[in-house]
Amino acid sequence: MKLLPLGDSAVVLELAAEPDVAALRRVRTLAESLSRIPIPGTVEVLPAFGTVTVFLDVKSGTGVREVGEALLARAAESASGAPFDDARVVEIEVCYGGAHGPDLAIVAAKTGLSPEEVIARHSGASYRVLALGFTPGFAYLGGLPPELVTPRHATPRTRVPEGSVGIGGRQTGIYPQSTPGGWNLIGRTPRRLFRPELDEPALFRLGDRVRIKCLTPEEFKPEQVPAVEASVQNADGACLEVVRAGPLTTVQDLGRVGHRASGMPLAGAADSFALRVANLLVGNPESAAGLECALVGPEIVFPEDTVIAVAGAGFESIPLWRPIKVRAGERIAFGPIQNGCRAYIAISGGIDVPMVLGSRSTYLPAGLGGFHGRVLAAGDRVPVNRPLRRDAPGRWSVDRRMLPDYGPKATIRVLRGAHADRFGGKWIGTPFTVTRQFDRMGVRLKGPPVASAEGDYRNSGVVAPGTVQVPGDGAPIILLTDSQTIGGYPRLAHVIAPDLPVVAQLRGGNEVQFAEVSQDQAEVIRFACEQGIAILREGVARIYGKR
C-alpha cells in the first residue's frame, strides 16, 4: 500500500498497482467502510481503479498526514471483501466509424489493423467497470485488447459529442456528456449514461461487466428520456428580474460534495473564497447560493428591500467586499468586470432554486442544477428567499489583508504532483501566459513546453480542482471546479487550496508562475486563511446581532 497526497486537500491510498478484480474488491470494501464511518475531518470518498481517495474538509483543522495515517489503519482492518456479483451485465449499443467515430482510421493506422479489425476486436471484448469519473457517469472500462492500445491525443478536443466511445492508452470508455477530451473516438452509443433525476443516476456501477452490441448507422436512435423540468418558483414568489444577463452568469453555491464516486465534479463557485465572504457580509450561511458572473455582470431588478455584497473581481461603480443596501424595485447594471475574471453577488436570504444531488450549483456540461441547468438569460425571473437583512449596518468592509492577491501577474503556490519527477524542475518560477482557453473546467497556459522524461501509458488517476496536468504538447492545464474527477494526463503539481481563488480570477493574457511549497507550509497557509474567515464570521455575527 502506498499513500500519495493530492495537494493539501486529499489523500490517495494505492491498494494495488493494477486494477484487477481482487483490487476492486479491496477498494470497494474500504470505500464502503469509510462511507459508513468517515474519518474525522473528511467529507468524501472516491474509489477508482486500485485506489481509494479521501477528501478533507478544507475548513477544518485536519491535516493530510493524520488523515493518511487513519486511512492506512482502516485499510488494514478491511483487508478482504466480498466478490462481485458477476450476474450484473450491462449491454451497450455502439455505432462505429463514420461521423460517430472520427478517429477509427487513426487507431487502425497506429495499431496496424484494418478499421474492420478494430471494430471486431473492440466490440468482441469483455469489459469491467474499473472506475467512474472524468464526467458524471463516465465508466473507465478494463479489458481493452492489448493490440488496440493507442495514446491519447497530444492536444485534447474542445468538444467531444455525448455518447462517444473512445480509447485512451490502455483504457476504453464512453463520454456521457459533451465535454473536452483527448481520447481517440471510434464510435458512439445512443444510450443515456447519467440521469440525475434517478435515485441511482449513473447507469454503471463499479465492478459491472459490460458487453457491446454493434449498431448500423440506420439503427442509431438517441435514447428518448422524458424531460423533467424542476420548478424554480418559491412560495413567496419573490424573484430577481434579469434585464441583461452577461455572457456567463450562473447560480452557484459551494458545490456538490459526496458524488465524486459517480463521476460528478464538485462544481460550485470557482472562487469559493469570494462567495463565502460575500454570503457572510449579507448575513447568509457561507454555503448559500449566489450569482457567479464572468467577464461582464448582469443587469437586475431587485424585488424587495435587501442587502447584497459583491466579492471577487469587481465592477467599476459597485463597492466591493462590503454590504450594500438595495431598495425594492431598484435596477442595478453591474457592467464589465475589472481586475479579474469572476465576480460574486450574494443576496440576503440566498437564491432559492431547487437542490439537485445536494446542491443548487449549476453544472453546465450536464445541464443540471442552478436555474434550469443553464446560464441566465434576459427575461429570467430567479427566485430568492425572503431577505434575512433589509438594511446594511453602516459603512464597513473586509480587511484587505485577508484577501487573495488577485492581479494580472500571479504567483501560484503548488505541491509536487504524482508525476513531478518526470519533468525536472525548470517549470518552477518559469513565466507562463494564460491562453484564451480558460473556463470553469480549467485554465490552459502557454510558455516553454514542459517536457516529460517518458511517455504516459499509465491508467488514469484521481484529480481535483487545483491539479496541474500536462498533455503531450507540454502546455500545462490547471483544473478548476467543473473539472473531471479522473484524468489521464501526467499530474505535474497541485495548487494549494488558498490559491485556487487566484487561479479562478485569471483571464487570457495574464502571467502565471509556480512556486513550490512543502506540505507543512501549505497547511499553515490554509489554516491561516480559514482563521481569517472565522474572525470575519464572528465579527459579522456581532455586527448583525446588535441590530
Side-chain angles (χ1 to χ4, degrees):
M1 294 189 293
K2 183 166 61 174
L3 280 174
L4 301 168
L6 183 61
D8 60 340
S9 55
V11 181
V12 182
L13 176 61
E14 185 179 276
L15 293 169
E18 291 296 327
D20 55 19
V21 174
L24 289 175
R25 183 183 305 128
R26 295 181 65 195
V27 164
R28 184 184 64 182
T29 302
L30 177 56
E32 290 174 351
S33 169
L34 293 167
S35 295
R36 288 193 305 270
I37 309 174
I39 294 172
T42 65
V43 294
E44 194 163 2
V45 180
L46 171 54
F49 305 110
T51 67
V52 174
T53 302
V54 178
F55 290 86
L56 281 65
D57 179 358
V58 296
K59 299 186 290 297
S60 74
T62 308
V64 166
R65 284 188 179 83
E66 58 187 292
V67 169
E69 292 172 359
L71 186 56
L72 283 172
R74 293 288 287 277
E77 297 171 2
S78 307
S80 62
F84 288 116
D85 179 5
D86 278 352
R88 181 176 158 99
V89 178
V90 181
E91 185 176 79
I92 292 292
E93 303 82 10
V94 176
C95 181
Y96 288 93
H100 296 312
D103 295 334
L104 179 61
I106 294 175
V107 174
K110 289 188 175 181
T111 58
L113 302 170
S114 69
E116 293 74 20
E117 288 173 320
V118 172
I119 293 171
R121 299 187 189 196
H122 189 272
S123 63
S126 177
Y127 299 103
R128 190 179 291 276
V129 177
L130 304 180
L132 294 174
F134 180 59
T135 63
F138 187 106
Y140 289 83
L141 304 179
L144 181 73
E147 61 271 25
L148 296 184
V149 171
T150 308
R152 297 167 175 80
H153 293 294
T155 302
R157 281 182 169 90
T158 57
R159 181 184 178 276
V160 173
E162 176 183 343
S164 292
V165 178
I167 294 174
R170 296 187 296 169
Q171 301 162 109
T172 190
I174 309 170
Y175 288 78
Q177 296 88 29
S178 176
T179 64
W183 289 27
N184 301 276
L185 309 182
I186 61 173
R188 194 176 177 198
T189 180
R191 294 284 296 278
R192 287 281 304 278
L193 306 185
F194 190 83
R195 296 178 57 185
E197 73 276 10
L198 301 180
D199 291 337
E200 188 173 348
L203 175 64
F204 297 112
R205 300 174 189 163
L206 187 73
D208 282 350
R209 290 190 297 153
V210 179
R211 294 174 183 163
I212 292 175
K213 175 184 177 182
C214 290
L215 292 179
T216 66
E218 295 73 26
E219 293 172 323
F220 186 93
K221 305 292 183 187
E223 181 181 5
Q224 298 299 312
V225 176
V228 178
E229 184 75 2
S231 171
V232 292
Q233 181 66 47
N234 63 6
D236 293 335
C239 294
L240 303 174
E241 298 179 20
V242 181
V243 180
R244 295 185 182 88
L248 196 61
T249 300
T250 57
V251 176
Q252 300 294 344
D253 58 16
L254 295 184
R256 230 163 236 108
V257 176
H259 296 279
R260 282 189 250 215
S262 64
M264 172 59 67
L266 179 64
D271 182 347
S272 61
F273 174 88
L275 180 62
R276 291 173 66 189
V277 171
N279 272 320
L280 287 174
L281 290 173
V282 300
N284 288 345
E286 294 168 46
S287 59
L291 297 181
E292 177 183 274
C293 319
L295 301 179
V296 179
E299 185 172 346
I300 293 174
V301 177
F302 291 84
E304 301 182 67
D305 288 357
T306 189
V307 175
I308 69 170
V310 178
F315 303 102
E316 185 175 2
S317 59
I318 309 294
L320 195 62
W321 304 106
R322 75 172 184 84
I324 304 167
K325 184 177 181 179
V326 176
R327 294 298 187 190
E330 187 170 350
R331 177 169 169 169
I332 298 179
F334 289 89
I337 288 176
Q338 310 288 320
N339 303 319
C341 180
R342 295 177 173 88
Y344 294 83
I345 305 169
I347 300 98
S348 183
I351 292 176
D352 189 27
V353 294
M355 300 279 278
V356 178
L357 298 177
S359 169
R360 292 184 169 87
S361 64
T362 310
Y363 179 57
L364 293 174
L368 62 83
F371 189 84
H372 300 300
R374 61 170 173 80
V375 298
L376 298 189
D380 285 342
R381 291 175 54 81
V382 182
V384 290
N385 290 309
R386 186 162 297 283
L388 300 175
R389 314 290 173 191
R390 295 182 181 273
D391 195 10
R395 297 180 61 85
W396 57 276
S397 62
V398 173
D399 189 328
R400 296 279 171 173
R401 291 174 295 179
M402 72 172 288
L403 301 182
D405 187 12
Y406 300 128
K409 292 187 177 182
T411 297
I412 306 297
R413 293 166 290 191
V414 298
L415 293 156
R416 294 175 68 81
H419 306 133
D421 291 344
R422 300 185 188 183
F423 295 91
K426 292 184 178 180
W427 55 278
I428 296 291
T430 298
F432 293 93
T433 302
V434 178
T435 70
R436 292 183 179 274
Q437 293 176 272
F438 65 97
D439 58 19
R440 286 176 48 83
M441 289 191 70
V443 175
R444 189 174 178 84
L445 308 178
K446 66 179 179 181
V450 181
S452 173
E454 60 182 82
D456 181 39
Y457 290 92
R458 290 173 56 91
N459 289 313
S460 298
V462 176
V463 296
T467 300
V468 182
Q469 291 188 290
V470 183
D473 60 5
I477 300 171
I478 308 175
L479 300 183
L480 276 177
T481 191
D482 277 359
S483 69
Q484 66 270 30
T485 59
I486 292 176
Y489 293 114
R491 299 177 290 286
L492 172 67
H494 196 93
V495 177
I496 66 172
D499 282 4
L500 272 175
V502 178
V503 178
Q505 296 296 350
L506 295 173
R507 59 197 298 177
N510 287 171
E511 186 178 295
V512 173
Q513 64 178 0
F514 296 110
E516 187 178 357
V517 296
S518 69
Q519 190 71 244
D520 287 342
Q521 289 172 320
E523 291 183 359
V524 168
I525 296 166
R526 173 161 63 92
F527 298 157
C529 178
E530 289 302 320
Q531 183 63 30
I533 293 178
I535 293 171
L536 175 64
R537 187 186 304 123
E538 293 171 2
V540 169
R542 287 196 299 271
I543 290 171
Y544 281 122
K546 292 178 181 178
R547 299 182 62 79

